[in-house]
Amino acid sequence: MTRVLVVEDDPQLVRALVINMQARQYGVDAAPDGATALRLAAARQPDVVLLDLGLPDMDGVQVIKGLRGWTRVPILVLSARAASDEKVAALDAGADDYITKPFSMNELLARLRAAVRRTESVPSVPETTIVETDEFTIDLLAKKAARGGHDVRLTPTEWHLLEILVCNPGRLVTQKQLLEEVWGPSYDGKTNYLRVYMAQLRRKLEADPAHPRYLITEPGMGYRFEA
Ligand code: CA
């Protein structure tokens, strides 16, 4: 049974979530505030955490930081806020994905399944080192990319960026995460670097670089590899 920890202070929403998840055979614990969430997470060891960012006792980002001190459990953030910087802060703190309120229950459940699946499919030694799309093939072990049967020459920086995205299929990787990982901690404001290098990658890998199908921009937030 997949155990979900729901961290949400709106009792009506909690009730709806619990009913829908239990109907789909999830085991559900609910916490109305951050302190309870941290305690329950340690006691119950959930498989996935659904976390509202606006909690009565602390900011949801603090809960993420608290959890990330000891667990890699997937965290799906519920955010009522339109401001993307809140979501980016949550993702940078270690959340795996976010969903904006109001959401449909089906959408939420699909995201939940995807978050759980990602942790299940990330063994410490990758089973496969080849990532294939209809357009190009990436060999992570050999560090080679090919398109239409021909090798695509990538610079080390392009490769590093591509590798991070491809290793996180479907997941939004924030600008800050990419910049810090590829260029270093002092580069986290240099979003123009990302625009330049992502454009190069698309030119080399996408059939229509102006309308990318695989290397997707989430405006103001980051990038996503859609497998
Ligand atoms: Ca709330």
Side-chain angles (χ1 to χ4, degrees), residues 29-44:
D29 293 301
D33 55 56
T36 310
L38 291 171
R39 191 165 47 74
L40 275 181
R44 308 282 286 170

Side-chain angles (χ1 to χ4, degrees), residues 13 78-81 99-105 107:
L13 180 54
L78 300 174
S79 171
R81 304 164 198 192
I99 187 163
T100 305
K101 295 179 187 174
F103 49 82
S104 82
M105 198 54 76
E107 187 189 356

Side-chain angles (χ1 to χ4, degrees), residues 64-80:
I64 297 169
K65 288 179 179 163
L67 289 172
R68 282 293 173 258
W70 60 274
T71 174
R72 290 299 312 156
V73 64
I75 301 172
L76 183 56
V77 163
L78 300 174
S79 171

Side-chain angles (χ1 to χ4, degrees), residues 73-197:
V73 64
I75 301 172
L76 183 56
V77 163
L78 300 174
S79 171
R81 304 164 198 192
S84 65
D85 51 350
E86 283 291 337
K87 294 169 197 158
V88 170
L91 292 163
D92 281 336
D96 294 88
D97 203 354
Y98 68 91
I99 187 163
T100 305
K101 295 179 187 174
F103 49 82
S104 82
M105 198 54 76
N106 282 339
E107 187 189 356
L108 176 83
L109 291 165
R111 297 286 195 93
L112 208 59
R113 281 194 299 273
V116 174
R117 206 162 45 229
R118 272 201 293 276
T119 54
E120 284 169 349
S121 64
V122 182
S124 49
V125 179
E127 284 163 8
T128 170
T129 58
I130 311 277
V131 177
E132 249 183 320
T133 70
D134 290 343
E135 193 58 39
F136 54 85
T137 305
I138 310 290
D139 186 333
L140 291 167
L141 204 60
K143 295 195 181 291
K144 279 186 165 177
R147 182 167 162 230
H150 299 282
D151 281 355
V152 175
R153 211 174 286 251
L154 298 178
T155 68
T157 302
E158 289 167 355
W159 178 264
H160 200 169
L161 261 183
L162 182 65
E163 192 176 35
I164 296 168
L165 292 170
V166 164
C167 288
N168 291 278
R171 183 178 166 199
L172 171 63
V173 186
T174 64
Q175 294 170 343
K176 184 167 183 269
Q177 287 165 348
L178 288 169
L179 286 164
E180 288 189 356
E181 179 73 24
V182 177
W183 282 274
S186 57
Y187 287 82
D188 68 5
K190 304 275 190 190
T191 52
N192 55 317
Y193 286 27
L194 287 175
R195 277 195 295 278
V196 169
Y197 279 88

Side-chain angles (χ1 to χ4, degrees), residues 8-9 52 54:
E8 168 63 65
D9 59 330
D52 179 30

